Amino acid sequence: MTNLILLGAPGAGKGTQARRLQERFGIVQISTGEMLRAAARSGTPDGRKAKVIMDRGELVPDCMMVGMIAGRIDQPDCRNGFALDGFPRTTAQAEALDGMLVKRGIAIDHVIEVAVDDDAMVKRIIGRYTCARCGAGYHDLYSKPSVPGVCDRCGGTRFERRDDDTAETVRARLAAYHRQTEPILAYYGQRELLRRVDGMAAIDEVTRQLFAIVEDSRRERLT
Ligand code: AMP
């Protein structure tokens, strides 16, 4: 069982890499952004409230997020290990997470920063889209389907973009990252849990670095 936290600015590729970790090691991806988007789609009162905040590029209140994560970590699939993608995003969330994990006798093995440049992120985010059927990710400039309009993975022909992937909202999201989330790096750095991968490298190279971290920590545990 390996438990990870993936930290990094919006667009760093946390979601893509978390999906690959899940496929390779069975480490369950827990994406708070996806959970909130699902809540917004289903139109629950919390989901509707969150949608307004997300569309402004701001952070949803800690109290809503902490309850959401606690419920998710208690699901049986998380016993194989999990990768938190998009949580914690504030020091208060990091502290709440610690309390939650202590109570459950669970430890985080690594906090991995996927390090990127802001300027490149705006371009990366506003061009990205996914297949509506299977979730495969594409990009207007960097990664188009081989047959235009047809998903390489499942043949789907409907694609979608996130409502908050606009230039204006991306700038607000990057600002929120620097102001509210970046301080968490020091919080985990003090506890020597922090690792760093180069998020500006090619997607496969980032995956290679992440897989090496997981494989090393599993080997160390066996010896
Ligand atoms: P993401 O998919 O991780 O980029 O998240 C999309 C949006 O969901 C963010 O811009 C926030 O508005 C909201 N969100 C996701 N995770 C959190 C969190 N841990 N705390 C507060 N807001 C969050």
Side-chain angles (χ1 to χ4, degrees), residues 34-107:
E34 276 174 23
M35 292 164 84
L36 289 168
R37 283 187 287 281
R41 275 194 301 273
S42 61
T44 60
D46 272 358
R48 281 207 300 268
K49 226 186 292 166
K51 170 93 170 95
V52 175
I53 298 169
M54 290 161 81
D55 285 349
R56 286 203 299 255
E58 293 168 8
L59 295 187
V60 171
D62 291 335
C63 53
M64 194 190 292
M65 301 313 303
V66 170
M68 187 180 273
I69 281 290
R72 185 65 190 91
I73 286 176
D74 287 335
Q75 301 290 310
D77 59 342
C78 289
R79 287 193 207 121
N80 300 327
F82 53 79
L84 294 176
D85 156 15
F87 185 95
R89 252 180 161 99
T90 63
T91 307
Q93 290 181 14
E95 287 166 355
L97 176 66
D98 277 346
M100 223 182 280
L101 296 177
V102 167
K103 235 189 262 166
R104 290 163 174 77
I106 303 173

Side-chain angles (χ1 to χ4, degrees), residues 10 56-57 118 121-123 125-126 128 164-176:
R56 286 203 299 255
D118 269 22
M121 288 311 98
V122 178
K123 218 167 167 192
I125 293 178
I126 59 182
R128 70 184 181 181
D164 59 347
D165 279 354
T166 60
E168 196 188 326
T169 309
V170 170
R171 292 210 179 82
R173 287 160 61 199
L174 286 168

